Amino acid sequence: MRSLDIFSEDRKKDMLAAYSLSADYNYTQREIAEILNYSLGTVNGWIKDIQSKLYQKSVRDQLLINQHYTIDLLNSFIQKKIDEEC
């Protein structure tokens, strides 16, 4: 999946507008394609890419938030195994 950084500023704005029109304003992809003057396939691809990027960022953020819990869980498990051996 490509980063938005490889696109021109105008193209990035159109891509983000397409996503916003779909997610925030409930326009259909067909309507968005007409508004932005791109093909339906292009708009569909943009929306899918941005949804995926948002999901990946959300998961990364949750992993970072959860990191302390994971470390505590692992430490408890290791301590339990040490205690069992003694």
Side-chain angles (χ1 to χ4, degrees):
M1 184 175 319
R2 298 179 295 186
S3 167
L4 292 181
D5 294 336
I6 66 170
F7 297 105
S8 71
E9 284 302 311
D10 288 339
R11 177 66 61 101
K12 269 197 279 191
K13 287 179 184 178
D14 286 346
M15 294 170 82
L16 293 170
Y19 178 79
S20 181
L21 287 167
S22 174
D24 301 330
Y25 299 99
N26 297 315
Y27 280 86
T28 67
Q29 291 182 9
R30 187 173 306 284
E31 291 169 327
I32 296 166
E34 185 177 350
I35 291 167
L36 296 175
N37 199 28
Y38 287 99
S39 73
L40 179 58
T42 297
V43 168
N44 178 273
W46 288 350
I47 292 171
K48 284 182 181 178
D49 282 351
I50 291 173
Q51 285 171 332
S52 177
K53 283 175 177 47
L54 289 172
Y55 175 76
Q56 289 171 356
K57 181 181 177 348
S58 173
V59 169
R60 279 196 311 269
D61 290 348
Q62 290 303 312
L63 286 170
L64 289 173
I65 291 167
N66 202 55
Q67 190 172 23
H68 292 293
Y69 170 76
T70 304
I71 290 169
D72 290 344
L73 188 66
L74 182 57
N75 286 335
S76 294
F77 176 78
I78 291 169
Q79 187 61 52
K80 181 180 175 185
K81 290 296 184 181
I82 290 171
D83 291 345
E84 289 174 359
E85 290 179 9
C86 293

